[in-house]
Every structure is written in C-alpha cells, then in structure tokens.
Amino acid sequence: MSQKQLKEAFISNLNGTSLLEITLGLSLAPLCLLCRGLLLILYYLHYGKPLSARKYSLLLDFLVLVSPLLFSCTVLSPIIFFMPAIIAAFCAGIFFKIYSQRKHETRAPFRQIVKDFQKTYLDPGYIPAITVFRVYVNVLTSISILAVDFPQYPRRFAKAETYGTGVMDFGVGAFIFGNALVCPEVRQKSPVTQPKFSSLARQFVSVWPLIFLGLGRLLSVKSIEYHEHTSEYGVHWNFFFTLAFVRLAASLLLAVFPRNTSWIVAINLAVLYQLVLNTTSLKMFILHGSNGRDTRDGFLNANREGLLSLFGYLAIYMASVQVGLRLLQFRNSVKGWLEAVCFLLLTVLLLFAFLHVSQAYVDPVSRRMANLSYCIWVLAHSLTFFIGFVVTDLTLVFTKLLVKGSSVPCCWDAVKLPNACKKPETEGVPVGRGGKLPPICLISAINKNQLLFFLLANVTTGAVNILIDTIHSKAAFTLCILHLYMFFNCFVMYILHAKNIVLKFW
C-alpha cells in the first residue's frame, strides 16, 4: 500500500466511542478555563496586581488552556475518565487557598458572600461563554485534525464510518451550533425596522470566503494527492462548502419564518428528513450509491454524503438559532443566569431522553447522513459543553468577590446599577498605569480571527502530513509535533491580536 492508502485506511472503518467518554472529555475544557482563572486570581491575591507580562500570559494560557487537551487525546487518553476529577481537585485546592488567604479586612461570613453573589449584576450585553465555546470548538477541532493521523490518538475518538459517536463527529456539528449562536438573525436588535431579506443579502456577501476556501482545499488536496476520507463528505465536497450552504439556506428560512419559530422549523426539517431516510431508498443511496456498489459516477453520486447531510446540519443550525435567541434574552444578574442554567440542564436531560428513544426505535447516530439522532446528539452535547462554560464563569465571578480588584480575561465582571436609567458601569480596577492595556488573552486572540485560525490549522496539518510519517511516530515525537503545531497557530493569532489586526475582507 502507498503512504496515501495507508493514511486513508488509518482513519476509515471506525465506530466511535461512548456518550459518557465524550461528556467527560468535553468537561476538561471548562475545567482548564476555571483553573486558569483561579491561578490569575491567586496571583493577584499574592502580588496585588494582575499578571501583566504578555509573554508569561501567553505561556500560562497555552500551558493551562491547550496543553492538557493535547495530552488528554493522546498519551493520557487511557485515564481520561480520571482527568476531570484530577483537574477539579486541583481547582478546589486553589479555591480553598484563595478563600483562606484573602485579606482580613475584606472577609465576610460565607452566607453573606453567597447572598452578595446572588445579587451581583452582570453585563447583559456580553456573554463570555458564547465566545469561549466557539473558540474551544475551534481549538479542539484544530488539535484533532492533526492528532488523528498519529497512532497515539485513539481510533475511537476519530469520525465513525457510518454509525457511531466519535469526538470528531461531534466537532463538526458543534461548529454549526457555534456559528448559529452569533448569526446576524440572532444578534439583530430590531428586526421589524429592517428589510425582510437584508440578512440573506449580507450572508451572500459573507459566505464567499468559505466558498473560496472550499475550492482552495479541493484543488490543493487533488493536486498533491493528499489522503482523504471519501465517505466523509464525498469526492469534491468539504466542510467549508457545508458551512457556506447551511448559512445561506438558514438565512432564507429565517427571512420567510419568524425567528422565534426556528425551533419548529428545525424539528420539522429533522423529522421529515428522517422519515424520507426510513421510508425511501435515500439511506441506501447515501451509504452505497445509486448502483448499490458504492459508485462515484456523476456529481450527485460523488458527493452524496456532503449534499444530503445538509438537511441535518440545517436542522441543527435552526435549532441553535433558537438557543441563541434564548441566551440573548435580557439577564443582568447572577440569579437570572442560575435560572437559565437550570433551564438548559432540563433541556439537556430531555434531549438525551429523546436521543435514547431515537437510537432505540428510529436510527443510531450517523454523522455521515446527519440523521435525526445525530441532530439531537449534537444539540445535547453542545448545550452540555456550553453549560460548563457558564458555570465556570459564575464560579469565577464568585471567586472575584472574595478578592476585590481581581480580574480574569474573557469572564464576566460585576457591574453596578445605580438606577434603572443609567447604563451599567464595570466594577473593577483601572486597566493600569498610563492607560496601559491589560495582558492579551489567548481566547480573545483566537476569537478575533477564528476563520484564519481554522484555515492556518488546516494548512499546517497538511504541511506536517507531507513532511512527516505520522503513522509510525513515537509518543514523545508526537507530543512534540502537536505542541509545536498548536503553539505556532496560537502564537500567530496572539501576534495579530497584539497588533490589532483582523483579517476579514467581507
């Protein structure tokens, strides 16, 4: 077998992992974020000032926010069930240290702190968990697209061939979910005053980079005979095309139907698509082609997975729009967000119950078809992932009440509401002497150029695969390459953010 055939066989015919393992794996990112925040608060408690050196800030962010994820999906994957408990215990130790060492003059009874916490006001126009969710989906995807080509990355984490729940199967749907949370229709303040099809017109302009990136990926992969998993999207299709067409189709639907009924559209779309799969020969066509022998003759046969899975991804997008609208409802207090977390948890439990029924009586999860079970699974785990970040933010808000003046990047700050007429004012310390900016946060840096980060990760992944025999790499070499790869990607984003450069031309 050629090197190309070996690599294609290495990522083919896989069956995924359990829902429990994916849930535990996803809990690592919020725990790492919590750990970073607690360390910054502890630093402020000890030195009376925030961590100001940018090089140390980047190093801390990379070592705490990214590096544990690299280890967890490679050499530490056999003990991934214990890793959340280990990191949580470490966070608990830091929190106890902060609680016991806070200044005597600011100490208050624990019950009073809890009461003050519940009455704390938060900026209603900023939800850091949405930013962090989108960034971490991007980071995890970037790690996986290269790590999957190394033997240290468990095969159960890779994309399943037909049925199954792999970590990378979730990543594709989570990307759609994250895009929908910040789509123009969700962020639009006054839809009544704007033309009905204005968002659709803007989407036509904004998706052209995705089309060009899709074409660029197609041409580069074919020209250098790069290994590819054909049953993933087809011969010519790729995820850039999927994202572009889903955004266009969703804007069209949202121009026709009211935004607050997007969940009804999503349910109808997913259920009807599943009915067609089960009652016609469409499922056999997706899995085996028009002749039943996996033919790739003709454009539709060649790209049947990518084209027909658009219906499932569109259903995920429309449901996620409803989630985004719900999240952006005015909430300006910790109490309001605690109620929102309870509501989201109830929604997650219902979705997992529906998922159990759907897998048992309708069809198992299949990313290849983006069927009903896949849609439910993606929404359930995306909401679970998001809830983790909201809880992390609230925990850091509580901890900052213990240490007055402390701050954490990409986290809620308490605000004062003098009266209903005035705009909220951020409570906290000045940014620094002489108006110096606070240290750059890696999450903010990636968020500023998300599409570029994903593109850079794809290009760097291709370069590594061309230069290195990944399949026969040893563990130490694999960890070295993955850390250099991710640090390079993060460092480029960090520099661009420091220079205030946003590479966006649409």
Side-chain angles (χ1 to χ4, degrees), residues 16 37 66 83 99 110 132 138 163 167 239 284 321 347 359 430 457 470:
V66 179
M83 285 192 67
Y99 184 79
F110 187 78
V132 178
N138 213 332
Y163 294 105
V167 175
F239 184 66
M284 293 301 294
V321 167
T347 304
Q359 291 212 97
T470 56

Side-chain angles (χ1 to χ4, degrees), residues 154-348:
R155 297 300 89 193
R156 65 185 186 277
F157 288 178
K159 289 178 181 175
E161 186 68 25
T162 302
Y163 294 105
T165 52
V167 175
M168 294 183 72
D169 292 313
F170 168 72
V172 179
F175 230 104
I176 298 289
F177 181 91
N179 267 267
L181 291 182
V182 296
C183 70
E185 293 83 4
V186 170
R187 291 182 282 118
Q188 213 170 47
K189 299 294 182 183
S190 53
V192 179
T193 62
Q194 297 191 9
K196 201 169 186 181
F197 289 88
S198 61
S199 292
L200 181 61
R202 287 198 300 271
Q203 285 287 24
F204 267 109
V205 176
S206 66
V207 299
W208 72 260
L210 293 172
I211 301 294
F212 278 105
L213 288 173
L215 290 171
R217 177 179 170 78
L218 171 63
L219 293 174
S220 59
V221 166
K222 298 301 180 184
S223 61
I224 63 175
E225 293 191 351
Y226 190 77
H227 67 277
E228 53 185 330
H229 193 189
T230 305
S231 64
E232 190 176 334
Y233 294 106
V235 177
H236 311 106
W237 204 262
N238 57 58
F239 184 66
F240 290 113
F241 292 140
T242 293
L243 190 55
F245 280 92
V246 164
R247 283 173 58 174
L248 283 175
S251 291
L252 178 61
L253 288 174
L254 291 166
V256 175
F257 299 100
R259 292 185 303 168
N260 57 2
T261 62
S262 59
W263 66 279
I264 299 175
V265 177
I267 292 173
N268 280 288
L269 196 59
V271 171
L272 285 173
Y273 176 53
Q274 186 63 54
L275 281 172
V276 174
L277 285 174
N278 285 1
T279 58
T280 68
S281 59
L282 185 63
K283 184 188 294 186
M284 293 301 294
F285 172 71
I286 295 174
L287 299 180
H288 305 292
S290 57
N291 66 353
R293 294 192 296 271
D294 202 27
T295 179
R296 293 289 173 179
D297 294 333
F299 182 78
L300 185 57
N301 264 309
N303 304 285
R304 54 184 185 266
E305 293 91 350
L307 291 169
L308 293 169
S309 64
L310 287 173
F311 293 103
Y313 289 124
L314 182 57
I316 293 170
Y317 192 99
M318 294 298 291
S320 306
V321 167
Q322 189 70 53
V323 174
L325 291 170
R326 179 80 182 183
L327 292 175
L328 291 181
Q329 286 180 355
F330 188 85
R331 293 186 188 87
N332 63 349
S333 68
V334 166
K335 187 177 180 181
W337 273 102
L338 289 173
E339 291 172 355
V341 167
C342 292
F343 175 80
L344 290 174
L345 281 171
L346 179 61
T347 304
V348 167

Side-chain angles (χ1 to χ4, degrees), residues 28-177:
L28 295 177
L31 286 170
C32 289
L33 188 70
L34 177 62
C35 183
R36 192 277 301 256
L38 292 173
L39 286 172
L40 289 174
I41 295 172
L42 183 63
Y43 181 92
Y44 183 89
L45 180 64
H46 277 189
Y47 296 99
K49 60 179 182 179
L51 183 64
S52 56
R54 287 186 169 182
K55 59 181 178 181
Y56 295 130
S57 177
L58 171 62
L59 191 61
L60 174 68
D61 282 358
F62 184 80
L63 290 178
V64 180
L65 299 179
V66 179
S67 191
L69 305 179
L70 284 168
F71 279 100
S72 68
C73 69
T74 52
V75 293
L76 294 183
S77 58
I79 60 165
I80 196 168
F81 282 90
F82 302 102
M83 285 192 67
I86 294 169
I87 299 176
F90 184 69
C91 290
I94 300 172
F95 177 82
F96 179 77
K97 193 173 181 66
I98 292 170
Y99 184 79
S100 60
Q101 292 187 3
R102 60 204 167 105
K103 294 179 180 178
H104 291 282
E105 60 268 23
T106 60
R107 290 192 175 184
F110 187 78
R111 284 186 178 180
Q112 184 60 44
I113 295 171
V114 172
K115 286 182 180 179
D116 291 342
F117 171 66
Q118 291 177 336
K119 295 175 183 177
T120 300
Y121 288 101
L122 305 171
D123 183 359
Y126 175 55
I127 306 174
I130 292 179
T131 299
V132 178
F133 174 92
R134 297 181 70 241
V135 167
Y136 255 117
V137 167
N138 213 332
V139 168
L140 290 167
T141 303
S142 300
I143 291 172
S144 295
I145 59 175
L146 178 59
V148 71
D149 295 316
F150 289 89
Q152 288 75 25
Y153 188 88
R155 297 300 89 193
R156 65 185 186 277
F157 288 178
K159 289 178 181 175
E161 186 68 25
T162 302
Y163 294 105
T165 52
V167 175
M168 294 183 72
D169 292 313
F170 168 72
V172 179
F175 230 104
I176 298 289
F177 181 91

